[in-house]
Amino acid sequence: MSSESGASSAFTIERGTPPPFGALRRWIARVLPPLGANHLWAVQLVVTELATNAYEHGAGPVRVTWSVTDRPCSVLLEVQDDGEDRPVAGPPASVRPRGRGLVLVGDLSREWGVRPEERGKTVWARIDCGAPMIDACSARAEPIIMDPEPC
Ligand SMILES: [Zn+2]
């Protein structure tokens, strides 16, 4: 049996303040069920890339929501903003940070896409770890809290 949980909490990034990406990574680690370190690491990288894209190229508040499927272990991230333009992934050699970020998202996600909303869009990504169930994922290692300081 598979069950989903989540979507009840959201992380919102408002305009006009320094974007709190460190706080976003701590939030996602706190609200998700326990994951193995590698899975959590991938989720934190992807959520940072999606939120950065939405903040730098979108409009209005950036709203991050999530849900988890426990069998198999899988995390769905959704990042919504009011911007109308669609993100486009560039080649890895691209000098555009935006394109590079989405290539990373594509590498770490089983699938990702863009869904038009009544206002703006939602960019979503599903990150699997290959574990048959979430308990197996969480048993692999203690979750780590990734919070690198900008250098
Ligand atoms: Zn997992």
Side-chain angles (χ1 to χ4, degrees):
M1 196 184 85
S2 174
S3 67
E4 292 218 6
S5 62
S8 55
S9 62
F11 189 98
T12 303
I13 301 171
E14 301 289 346
R15 303 273 154 188
T17 58
F21 295 127
L24 172 64
R25 284 187 288 271
R26 288 191 295 275
W27 171 79
I28 200 73
R30 195 174 66 243
V31 296
L32 287 176
L35 299 176
N38 288 340
H39 197 180
L40 180 60
W41 175 82
V43 167
Q44 288 181 310
L45 271 181
V46 170
V47 79
T48 302
E49 291 299 332
L50 294 181
T52 300
N53 264 315
Y55 186 85
E56 293 183 351
H57 306 285
V62 175
R63 190 167 176 273
V64 180
T65 55
W66 59 277
S67 61
V68 168
T69 304
D70 60 359
R71 289 172 190 260
C73 180
S74 176
V75 175
L76 176 67
L77 296 171
E78 297 190 304
V79 178
Q80 188 266 330
D81 75 82
D82 294 342
E84 297 293 339
D85 69 323
R86 303 286 178 258
V88 178
S94 169
V95 293
R96 295 174 304 149
R98 178 185 199 183
R100 275 211 309 269
L102 285 173
V103 168
L104 182 65
V105 168
D107 284 347
L108 292 171
S109 306
R110 176 159 63 83
E111 51 183 351
W112 70 277
V114 184
R115 187 172 67 231
E117 304 285 357
E118 201 168 304
R119 188 171 178 191
K121 64 185 177 297
T122 295
V123 182
W124 58 271
R126 181 173 286 285
I127 303 104
D128 294 349
C129 67
M133 63 185 86
I134 201 165
D135 290 349
C137 177
S138 69
R140 285 177 176 178
E142 286 299 308
I144 51 170
I145 307 296
M146 185 182 78
D147 188 21
E149 294 298 319
C151 50

